[in-house]
Amino acid sequence: LLPWGGDERLKVNSGGEGPVSAEWFLPKCMWYKSHNPTLWPSVSTLCEYQDYLNYKLTGKMVGSTVNAAVRWHGDGRMLSSGMISSGLPTSLWTRCGMKEMIDKVPKTFKSMGEVVGEVQEEASEDTGIRKGTKVIQGGPDAFVGMVGLGCIRKGQLCLITGSSHLHCAVTGGEDTGKSFWGPYKGAPLRGVNFAEGGQSSTGSVINWARRSFFPDKSYKELDSEADTVGVGSGGLLSLTTFQGSRTPVTDPKGRGALIGLTLGHERKHIWRSLLEGVAMGTRDCVEGLARGGHKADEIVIAGGATRSEVWLRMHADATGCNIVTTRNSDAPLLGCAILASKGVGVYKTVEEAVEGMVVRERVIKPDERRKGEYDELYKIYKDAAGNVRDTVHRMQDLRGGGQEISPSLLSADWTDIKNSIAECEEASVRRVHCDVFDGVEVNSPKALTFGPKMISDIRKSTGMKLDVHLVTREPGRYVEPMGEAGANCLILQFESFGEEGVVELKGALENIKKNGMERGISIAPKTPVESLGGLLEEGVVEVVDVLTVEPCFAAQKIQLDCLDKVKWVKERFPSVVVMVDGGVNSDTIREVKASGADVIVSGSFIFKHAEGIGAGLRSLKSA
């Protein structure tokens, strides 16, 4: 989206630097159009599942202003005022080749708490809900949760805790920035905006630690132990970015760390350090929002963290903010009740309903002494997070992050193939390449390998993904046996079908899909990549295997001009997985990686490496 768009609306994505989540509305529509090109023109309506459910209940297709503001790159204020063309991101959709979306989305939008319509007779019969019951506009759980926490006033920050942390700062400002997402205009309610931060792994880290190392202790017992240790956990620091970092630094390859471990550290130090690591991450996100002009005067918290007194205090001391808890801890559920009460007229406004229904139970204020200690710890935390980033990225690459290396078993020692596969697994390989040649399609007695029985035996030895490349006469007859044998992806050789075999090829691809495998096509060096254009346009191929050597023979020299085919496919069909297959070694790997290939197939270099299979794989991964 970013290189294709260059649109003002993209600034809500970290100031325009992205990324744009694949779950947002435009990427999903682009994916659908790419994968269903024949159906796309006949699609009459594009909407969220929430809109569709409301439509089935009321017969009215009505969009959500909060969804449009937060996940559509729209302006909720304009939409709630009936200014549809101004509220929708029409220029962005047009620049991304999706102009037709303008005519396919709902023509009416409602804000949370407004009446969508009434339950119709058919829906009443299907659901048991009384005909004529009012249907009130809701929204995504986190944003309804903001209402349920009473977090709708400028200067408040809603902190939803669970397996991850979500930070929603209510603001009147419109400044975007690199360290947060938003602000989203007219969300959660039409009179305010909110900016968003997030931590990918918080409660999930705590759960992981207890499950993995301390299963005999309750959370309460572990918290009590940790409370006997001072700020800084006896010189132990945690980075809890176990599943990457959302904000203020967006880093999907980020990983966690325990820094400063000694033989003197005990369970209580480790537990406290992990709790502190999450609290430090929350401060980082809160400060990232403040740098963009979205400062929080208080944090209203909901979710799992509210059950830990120790952790609540840490959040207050680490952030320097008052932490507010409410009586009803199920904020999204209470938020629904508040919106419903406004919609049916119990209260005139959502703000009035919040005042009457949300009960603030406690305010945990930061302790000045501990806050000062956390200020010092935070400086170390920030330095550590920056200093380890390059290291964890390199470790990610070593274990197969980003581009994948797929060893080709064509070059393995078949008398010891089980051990060869085991060595690949030990090197964190996630997929292997299996070449099935019949010696007839490529007319040579040396172009004969193995069949479904070998694939079945390989499957019994590994859980790795099996990409099976088929170069045979009548390839269609092998589809079902390969599926039964355990292949994950079946790659047909394009040239096996010839120019007149398109119908047969499409039939084979459809059969591959029916048998639960990914559909792949391989093209030989002599074949123009444009020959695949029609198949790719129709969305009947998920994987393209670009042969950079002649098919069926190992240990050939790479034909580097074939790498232009990779770029051609990725530029036009970015969701298609592209493999480079053949002649890859330590001398050619950099050029192959630079081509943009998703999967790199190498055989002889890995299996004939002087220092062993693992060394060969490490050499390619680290290049």
Side-chain angles (χ1 to χ4, degrees):
L1 280 177
L2 296 177
W4 294 349
D7 193 274
E8 183 76 11
R9 299 281 185 147
L10 288 169
K11 285 190 175 180
V12 297
N13 301 111
S14 300
E17 296 197 3
V20 177
S21 172
E23 67 184 294
W24 282 26
F25 191 61
L26 177 55
K28 287 193 288 191
C29 292
M30 293 174 74
W31 181 93
Y32 187 88
K33 180 180 179 180
S34 172
H35 286 73
N36 299 276
T38 55
L39 286 176
W40 177 255
S42 64
V43 171
S44 64
T45 305
L46 296 167
C47 64
E48 300 280 0
Y49 65 87
Q50 172 187 337
D51 308 332
Y52 181 71
L53 288 175
N54 285 343
Y55 168 73
K56 294 295 288 184
L57 288 168
T58 67
K60 296 182 179 180
M61 178 53 68
V62 176
S64 159
T65 59
V66 69
N67 274 330
V70 181
R71 298 297 181 248
W72 287 29
H73 296 93
D75 186 327
R77 300 169 307 181
M78 297 284 190
L79 293 169
S80 62
S81 300
M83 303 170 67
I84 307 303
S85 60
S86 299
L88 293 175
T90 53
S91 63
L92 175 60
W93 292 352
T94 301
R95 289 184 180 191
C96 292
M98 300 293 288
K99 184 177 180 180
E100 60 270 35
M101 286 177 63
I102 299 169
D103 296 322
K104 295 177 185 287
V105 297
K107 304 301 184 289
T108 303
F109 286 79
K110 297 282 188 180
S111 299
M112 293 201 299
E114 294 186 326
V115 177
V116 174
E118 296 182 348
V119 173
Q120 300 299 294
E121 185 171 352
E122 184 180 355
S124 176
E125 292 173 359
D126 289 339
T127 64
I129 302 173
R130 189 179 67 223
K131 180 184 176 183
T133 300
K134 289 184 178 179
V135 176
I136 313 302
Q137 185 69 290
D141 55 358
F143 311 138
V144 175
M146 292 177 70
V147 175
L149 288 172
C151 197
I152 57 174
R153 182 172 49 78
K154 297 170 187 176
Q156 291 182 303
L157 186 143
C158 165
L159 177 57
I160 306 289
T161 67
S163 59
S164 59
H165 274 21
L166 178 66
H167 322 81
C168 300
V170 184
T171 178
E174 297 184 9
D175 290 341
T176 60
K178 297 180 182 179
S179 57
F180 57 90
W181 304 322
Y184 309 115
K185 300 171 184 177
L189 303 174
R190 75 166 68 183
V192 294
N193 308 326
F194 84 86
E196 181 181 5
Q199 294 164 264
S200 300
S201 45
T202 54
S204 55
V205 172
I206 305 307
N207 178 270
W208 164 81
R210 178 176 173 270
R211 183 182 70 248
S212 301
F213 307 117
F214 318 127
D216 58 327
K217 292 289 183 181
S218 68
Y219 287 107
K220 189 173 182 179
E221 289 173 318
L222 291 165
D223 281 359
S224 295
E225 289 182 4
D227 206 21
T228 65
V229 181
V231 172
S233 307
L236 186 59
L237 177 71
S238 291
L239 302 178
T240 55
T241 47
F242 282 39
Q243 298 180 97
S245 171
R246 289 180 182 169
T247 65
V249 176
T250 302
D251 180 11
K253 293 174 71 175
R255 291 297 179 265
L258 274 169
I259 301 170
L261 275 169
T262 71
L263 295 176
H265 284 122
E266 302 174 11
R267 175 174 60 209
K268 58 186 179 181
H269 299 98
I270 294 172
W271 189 256
R272 182 179 182 96
S273 180
L274 291 171
L275 294 176
E276 288 184 332
V278 171
M280 290 286 102
T282 297
R283 173 170 175 169
D284 211 12
C285 291
V286 171
E287 290 196 352
L289 287 161
R291 285 195 297 274
H294 313 296
K295 188 176 184 299
D297 300 321
E298 67 176 15
I299 296 174
V300 189
I301 189 170
T306 61
R307 295 194 289 271
S308 170
E309 183 69 23
V310 174
W311 216 8
L312 283 174
R313 289 202 313 265
M314 280 185 190
H315 278 81
D317 296 337
T319 62
C321 293
N322 289 349
I323 303 292
V324 179
T325 65
T326 58
R327 180 174 296 173
N328 190 322
S329 61
D330 193 335
L333 185 62
L334 179 58
C336 286
I338 289 170
L339 297 174
S341 70
K342 186 269 177 187
V344 299
V346 176
Y347 293 96
K348 293 181 180 179
T349 65
V350 174
E351 291 80 1
E352 187 181 315
V354 165
E355 189 67 27
M357 297 176 68
V358 176
V359 179
R360 292 160 67 95
E361 195 166 52
R362 296 179 58 204
V363 178
I364 299 100
K365 297 183 177 181
D367 177 89
E368 286 302 316
R369 178 184 61 80
R370 290 195 299 268
K371 178 185 177 300
E373 292 175 336
Y374 275 117
D375 287 345
E376 294 303 311
L377 181 62
Y378 181 65
K379 295 175 185 175
I380 300 171
Y381 171 90
K382 288 291 287 181
D383 286 343
N387 291 336
V388 305
R389 190 165 293 123
D390 181 62
T391 299
V392 297
H393 285 185
R394 290 165 62 192
M395 290 298 294
Q396 272 290 93
D397 292 338
L398 194 63
R399 68 188 294 268
Q403 293 169 310
E404 292 187 83
I405 305 296
S406 178
S408 172
L409 296 180
L410 181 65
S411 298
D413 180 355
W414 293 358
T415 65
D416 195 27
I417 199 163
K418 189 172 183 178
N419 284 328
S420 294
I421 290 169
E423 287 189 54
C424 290
E425 287 185 321
E426 288 173 12
S428 299
V429 168
R430 291 179 288 190
R431 65 199 302 159
V432 290
H433 199 81
C434 307
D435 290 299
V436 174
F437 306 148
D438 66 358
V440 178
E441 177 61 18
V442 172
N443 189 13
S444 171
K446 294 183 179 180
L448 176 64
T449 57
F450 43 72
K453 172 64 166 59
M454 178 69 105
I455 300 300
S456 177
D457 289 343
I458 291 171
R459 169 51 68 221
K460 292 173 185 175
S461 300
T462 183
M464 290 187 292
K465 187 170 186 175
L466 301 185
D467 300 316
V468 177
H469 176 203
L470 202 61
V471 184
T472 66
R473 289 280 173 88
E474 299 181 56
R477 67 186 184 135
Y478 290 91
V479 172
E480 289 184 23
M482 288 300 176
E484 293 170 357
N488 300 106
C489 173
L490 189 59
I491 303 167
L492 305 176
Q493 191 64 39
F494 181 74
E495 295 79 13
S496 296
F497 294 87
E499 294 183 4
E500 312 229 338
V502 175
V503 173
E504 182 187 353
L505 173 56
K506 288 182 180 179
L509 290 168
E510 179 61 26
N511 199 20
I512 291 172
K513 182 179 180 180
K514 287 180 180 177
N515 281 271
M517 296 175 284
E518 290 182 339
R519 297 165 291 183
I521 283 288
S522 179
I523 53 170
K526 65 182 180 182
T527 302
V529 69
E530 293 81 3
S531 303
L532 303 184
L535 296 171
L536 295 171
E537 285 282 357
E538 292 181 39
V540 296
V541 174
E542 285 94 27
V543 177
V544 171
D545 182 14
V546 175
L547 290 180
T548 46
V549 297
E550 298 304 322
C552 299
F553 302 100
Q556 298 180 60
K557 186 177 179 180
I558 192 170
Q559 299 180 39
L560 290 172
D561 58 335
C562 293
L563 297 180
D564 290 337
K565 297 178 182 180
V566 179
K567 299 170 186 175
W568 187 92
V569 175
K570 294 306 290 185
E571 285 174 1
R572 291 161 178 79
F573 307 96
S575 62
V576 172
V577 173
V578 181
M579 298 177 172
V580 167
D581 185 356
V584 178
N585 54 43
S586 57
D587 295 326
T588 60
I589 182 65
R590 288 179 179 82
E591 289 179 83
V592 173
K593 285 185 175 181
S595 72
D598 301 293
V599 179
I600 300 168
V601 181
S602 178
S604 298
F605 179 79
I606 294 172
F607 290 106
K608 310 298 182 187
H609 197 280
E611 297 177 27
I613 293 170
L617 284 162
R618 287 192 294 273
S619 175
L620 295 180
K621 289 179 180 180
S622 62

